Amino acid sequence: DVKVTQSSRYLVKRTGEKVFLECVQDMDHENMFWYRQDPGLGLRLIYFSYDVKMKEKGDIPEGYSVSREKKERFSLILESASTNQTSMYLCASSSSGTNLNNQPQHFGDGTRLSIL
Amino acid sequence: AQSVTQLGSHVSVSEGALVLLRCNYSSSVPPYLFWYVQYPNQGLQLLLKYTTGATLVKGINGFEAEFKKSETSFHLTKPSAHMSDAAEYFCAVIRSGGYQKVTFGTGTKLQVIP
């Protein structure tokens, strides 16, 4: 089974802090994603990566950056945390396979981040 | 642009009753559609997917969904609800343009009443 591990389940930080969320997958997947999940809004894509050192902006990249130095690890960085970034953050990975659109995404259990 | 709409943010059913969770999609190209489930304090996991071929798709835990092009729908059903089905369910569609970007619906929370 694919395992996607997020480093923290719960995290509390203060406004203005630089925050790092880490995600590791063990299936040699090419693609990795960061989402935030808010009640009534579903999941919104922040950033994704389709290869090492490659990254693409998602729908809500403002205030965030990412890093993918190794294939198995994808980090989300909040440059200067603000209270409106309090949310559940979900990491996912997927294979490209022979048909990219046919591949499901595999999710970690999430990090619930509170910014005070 | 591809999108999905889930009707009903909360659905309650009695244990043993039919589960029906609604999803309508918008797509100018043949869609790739997914249903995911999220149990409390967990990430999402795949229930089933529609790519091409058979329009009735069977998934895990007794769930199935039918792709109806004429109705632009991909509703999720289960004949008999179990207490363990209580969770939040998300419909999703692959966007065009590559990179496997996905648009998720806003989710439907299923409550199962004993």
Side-chain angles (χ1 to χ4, degrees):
Chain A
D1 272 358
V2 177
K3 184 76 175 172
V4 179
T5 304
Q6 294 185 231
S7 54
S8 305
R9 292 300 303 274
Y10 300 93
L11 208 53
V12 180
K13 297 291 182 180
R14 299 207 172 272
T15 55
E17 282 193 67
K18 192 169 185 176
V19 181
F20 294 84
L21 302 183
E22 306 287 344
C23 175
V24 176
Q25 50 95 3
D26 67 356
M27 281 301 292
D28 202 36
H29 283 169
E30 295 85 0
N31 310 303
M32 296 189 75
F33 308 82
W34 274 106
Y35 296 91
R36 63 176 283 175
Q37 181 181 12
D38 299 290
L41 297 179
L43 278 71
R44 292 179 290 167
L45 181 64
I46 305 172
Y47 265 97
F48 65 99
S49 168
Y50 55 91
D51 201 351
V52 175
K53 296 191 185 295
M54 306 302 290
K55 59 186 180 184
E56 292 284 339
K57 293 180 180 179
D59 302 315
I60 52 166
E62 296 78 18
Y64 303 94
S65 63
V66 290
S67 172
R68 192 164 181 205
E69 296 296 318
K70 293 184 178 181
K71 191 174 186 180
E72 67 271 17
R73 187 179 297 271
F74 193 35
S75 303
L76 179 69
I77 304 155
L78 285 66
E79 298 291 345
S80 178
S82 65
T83 55
N84 62 13
Q85 292 178 310
T86 291
S87 187
M88 169 71 88
Y89 290 87
L90 291 168
C91 175
S93 73
S94 70
S95 170
S96 293
T98 54
N99 180 352
L100 180 66
N101 292 327
N102 202 13
Q103 306 303 316
Q105 294 186 8
H106 301 267
F107 286 81
D109 286 338
T111 296
R112 190 167 293 281
L113 175 64
S114 296
I115 306 296
L116 304 179
Chain B
Q2 287 75 19
S3 66
V4 289
T5 302
Q6 291 184 242
L7 298 174
S9 58
H10 291 80
V11 170
S12 293
V13 300
S14 298
E15 192 175 14
L18 171 72
V19 176
L20 171 60
L21 304 182
R22 299 178 187 273
C23 173
N24 287 90
Y25 69 89
S26 171
S27 177
S28 57
V29 298
Y32 291 85
L33 294 160
F34 301 78
W35 275 100
Y36 286 86
V37 60
Q38 184 179 34
Y39 297 104
N41 298 315
Q42 294 185 24
L44 280 69
Q45 62 182 132
L46 181 71
L47 267 181
L48 50 81
K49 63 181 179 181
Y50 170 78
T51 53
T52 57
T55 56
L56 183 63
V57 181
K58 294 188 183 300
I60 62 170
N61 301 337
F63 284 93
E64 61 183 36
E66 187 170 10
F67 173 71
K68 291 188 176 180
K69 186 177 179 180
S70 61
E71 299 177 9
T72 61
S73 69
F74 190 55
H75 302 330
L76 183 70
T77 60
K78 182 174 180 177
S80 176
H82 192 272
M83 295 299 295
S84 61
D85 295 327
E88 190 161 18
Y89 293 79
F90 292 91
C91 182
V93 63
I94 293 278
R95 306 182 209 179
S96 59
Y99 298 129
Q100 207 192 73
K101 289 170 69 173
V102 175
T103 296
F104 286 88
T106 52
T108 298
K109 280 191 177 173
L110 177 65
Q111 180 186 24
V112 181
I113 303 166

